[in-house]
Amino acid sequence: MTGALPGVPVTSGFGAVADPVFVQPHFDDVALSCGGTVAQIAREGAATIVTVFGGDPGDRTSEFVRFQHERWKLEDGDAVGARRKEDLVAVNQLGESVSTVWLDYLDAIYRRPEYSDDLALFGTLVDDDRSLIGQIAGDLAALGDPFVLPLAIGSHVDHQLVFEAGRVLAAKGADVWCYPDLPYALDSDAYRHRLEHVGDAAPCVRSIDEASFESKWRAIECYASQLPVIFRAIEDPRRKFFEFGRRERDVSAVELFWKMDDLNLGQR
């Protein structure tokens, strides 16, 4: 198998999921991770993309926030507004029937001073943040399932919170699926570490036709402020994304999904 899935079996499935709610911690996560599936669904149905940490922080700044804004080449007072504009253009690339919802939770870099560097941002959740899990689950529940949300590969704290909200929804009977977080999933060590945590459930695979992959890639390119950071250590990212998860005999791109109920998560 090519891509970043050493030793992981791939099965068919996921084709029956209709009118799903795709949940992304940040603007761009869905396009990067499963935009081809969104584009395919949009041709014959409808889909919703929800950005959980889409709130405007106003004038909240810190040294780490200013560092991030400089990397993105965005003004301190307008960074979220600029990213929302990128998101609207990107969602349109995925299909006219795709709608977008921005929740008002603040990105970790604005939300808590404890997340003041990359080590903290990709580390352990601050205890006070855990109260957000139930709140996020409640907001998502109002939208109706099925939900498709991140597996939390890479351990970004915001991705962890959304994944845990998905666990709450699944425990209450909702139909919840998980996508592998790209580009973090291109790191085979990060991928293995997460798969070891969630057990040996085989992912379902969805073949992505050429038109849908092109829509996905156009959507990714709309997040212009993020691309220099996202792809800074990835050589030929388009090829890497096309090959991710494919087996040698596969011709088209594929996208992978795990059903939450199949994961072996133990006790929270």
Side-chain angles (χ1 to χ4, degrees):
M1 183 182 300
T2 61
L5 288 170
V8 180
V10 180
T11 62
S12 60
F14 196 69
V17 175
D19 298 336
V21 176
F22 290 87
V23 185
Q24 56 184 12
H26 310 115
F27 311 104
D28 72 22
D29 288 316
V30 162
L32 287 162
S33 303
C34 52
T37 294
V38 177
Q40 283 188 332
I41 289 173
R43 290 208 296 262
E44 297 182 1
T48 301
I49 298 178
V50 179
T51 305
V52 174
F53 298 99
D56 190 339
D59 59 359
R60 296 191 188 193
T61 60
S62 67
E63 183 177 349
F64 188 54
V65 167
R66 289 190 292 273
F67 166 70
Q68 296 288 13
H69 290 174
E70 288 173 5
R71 292 206 299 175
W72 303 340
K73 294 181 171 55
L74 298 177
E75 298 294 328
D76 286 341
D78 189 44
V80 169
R83 296 195 67 187
R84 285 177 173 179
K85 291 176 183 177
E86 291 178 344
D87 193 53
L88 288 174
V89 178
V91 168
N92 188 59
Q93 293 296 327
L94 296 177
E96 293 182 358
S97 64
V98 182
S99 58
T100 186
V101 176
W102 301 321
L103 301 185
D104 288 330
Y105 299 95
L106 296 183
D107 186 305
I109 66 171
Y110 308 119
R111 189 172 66 247
R112 303 201 63 87
E114 292 91 339
Y115 302 130
S116 60
D117 56 37
D118 282 344
L119 186 63
L121 204 56
F122 293 88
T124 303
L125 286 173
V126 172
D127 286 342
D128 288 347
D129 251 359
R130 293 189 175 276
S131 64
L132 295 178
I133 295 169
Q135 296 175 40
I136 294 168
D139 287 342
L140 293 176
L143 300 173
D145 61 351
F147 300 102
V148 190
L149 45 76
L151 192 61
I153 296 165
S155 298
H156 189 293
V157 291
D158 289 343
H159 290 234
Q160 292 182 54
L161 287 168
V162 175
F163 176 81
E164 291 297 334
R167 291 185 67 181
V168 172
L169 290 165
K172 293 181 177 180
D175 187 14
V176 181
W177 295 77
C178 300
Y179 56 77
D181 320 48
L182 287 166
Y184 307 124
L186 294 176
D187 182 333
S188 58
D189 289 337
Y191 210 125
R192 287 192 188 95
H193 180 268
R194 186 58 176 158
L195 292 180
E196 288 171 359
H197 179 71
V198 300
D200 58 358
C204 296
V205 64
R206 183 174 182 125
S207 294
I208 304 302
D209 59 48
E210 182 177 356
S212 297
F213 182 81
E214 291 301 324
S215 294
K216 167 181 178 158
W217 200 254
R218 288 196 301 270
I220 290 171
E221 291 179 326
C222 291
Y223 296 103
S225 68
Q226 305 302 299
L227 297 184
V229 179
I230 293 171
F231 294 150
R232 66 188 183 279
I234 304 174
E235 183 178 352
D236 195 356
R238 180 188 171 97
R239 179 179 64 82
K240 292 286 177 59
F241 274 64
F242 184 82
E243 292 181 350
F244 178 78
R246 293 170 64 223
R247 291 170 293 191
E248 294 294 343
R249 64 178 179 274
D250 290 330
V251 176
S252 64
V254 300
E255 290 178 345
L256 306 176
F257 302 91
W258 283 259
K259 191 168 178 60
M260 182 70 81
D261 289 343
D262 292 340
L263 302 180
N264 181 19
L265 295 166
Q267 298 298 315
R268 184 179 293 112

